[in-house]
Amino acid sequence: MRKVTHLIFCSFEVGGLPFSMAEILNRHDQDCLYVALTTQHTSAHDSTHYHFGLTAAPWDYSARFRAIAHSDELVVKELRRLNAEYGLSTCLALGSKAHLLACADIPFKYWSYGSDLDQNCFGPLWPAGYPFWKRLAVYAIFLANTRKQTRQSIRQAESVLIAPYQKPALDRVAPGKPLFWLPHFFPVLSHEVTLTFKTNARQTVYEAIGPGRFLFSSTRHVWCGALSKQADNKGNDIILKAFQSYVQRTGDLELRLVLVLKGPDIEATQKLAVDIGLTRQIVWVDQMPRPKLYAFYAAAEVCFGQFGTPVLTGAALEPLAQATPAISSFTTETAVPSYSVAPPIFNSNNPERIGEHLSAILHSPREYARLSFNSWQWSNSSTSEENFVKHFSAEFG
């Protein structure tokens, strides 16, 4: 039996990404086990299954934990058995149950996926109109469970991977905690193959939404009311206002904006579209698994990331691998490790500036071609699977 050195332990499943990490590592001859700590009978959305279909990987040991996930004591015992059986030496963990690794004497580094550090370490996000008496009961349970365990997981980690905007929150939870970093990872093909894929993708997408040029945003709709004050704010309204600015500048009524039906503020976005007179140029599509999402990224003229909390996400970076220019808002704070070369993404949350930028690149074939190639070139060197494996191996040994 081959020696396994890495473990990816996931007690909160994030878009199928932890599973994808393990798959990439194993495919590139990096021995890695994967454990997703989910209950045996769960109604929760399974992002791994949704994005990648049915999976039966020999390195996926989640099934050994499924029936015991409700018991911390049993999980720790099984982790000890797994460690004794395979001699685990490194672990990347995420989710509030990561502290169980320390109980099993398995050192780990922690990857913050966002709301764990933003909310779970401090206070829950209350829905509008949530009764005060219920808040008291829920908050008591929250303090004793979610908050306590999430803070334990972060504090007991050897180091933590965070987004730049999270540094103040981390300093409140675990002052002086060392930081580490891993790049994003996407399947990046050669430039020639990518251009062919883009041509084919346009035909596929046009069959679904009708022919014609379009801008695309895959970002969840979280931007108004109480949600606007949360770190999860995506600033979706900026996208619509920027599109309005572009249309007013150019009179281009043929270009469309494609949005995904996902998130609590869909109705607010739809109302905003009515208010600014863009409903005829906006196309709504259902959320889709990642392979289909790649086709939309490739077929779009330009893609949008997020414009609330300034952070680089897959919605802004994935299009670059498809040689599609992107626009997003992100911080260049240097206190937190990140890319040594910033991505060629137009960085702004000002609708007028974004509208001006769209006008400039969409009406200049030479400038658009240059930006398209630069997008692919940066992704090829910075977010390819090979680059991810290189950085993971260097970080985890």
Side-chain angles (χ1 to χ4, degrees), residues 105 151 282 362:
D105 299 319
R151 287 187 168 216
I282 293 180
L362 294 181

Side-chain angles (χ1 to χ4, degrees), residues 298-370:
E301 300 294 314
V302 175
C303 289
F304 294 105
Q306 68 179 55
F307 301 89
T309 299
V311 61
L312 281 171
T313 65
L317 291 173
E318 284 180 303
L320 304 186
Q322 309 303 329
T324 300
I327 301 171
S328 192
S329 174
F330 58 98
T331 181
T332 54
E333 168 62 50
T334 58
V336 174
S338 187
Y339 296 100
S340 58
V341 177
I345 293 174
F346 186 75
N347 185 4
S348 177
N349 62 2
N350 183 297
E352 292 302 320
R353 287 193 62 211
I354 297 172
E356 182 180 9
H357 175 71
L358 284 171
S359 178
I361 64 173
L362 294 181
H363 291 82
S364 173
R366 178 177 296 182
E367 176 62 17
Y368 183 87
R370 183 192 68 82

Side-chain angles (χ1 to χ4, degrees), residues 50 160 380:
Y50 179 76
V160 181
N380 186 50

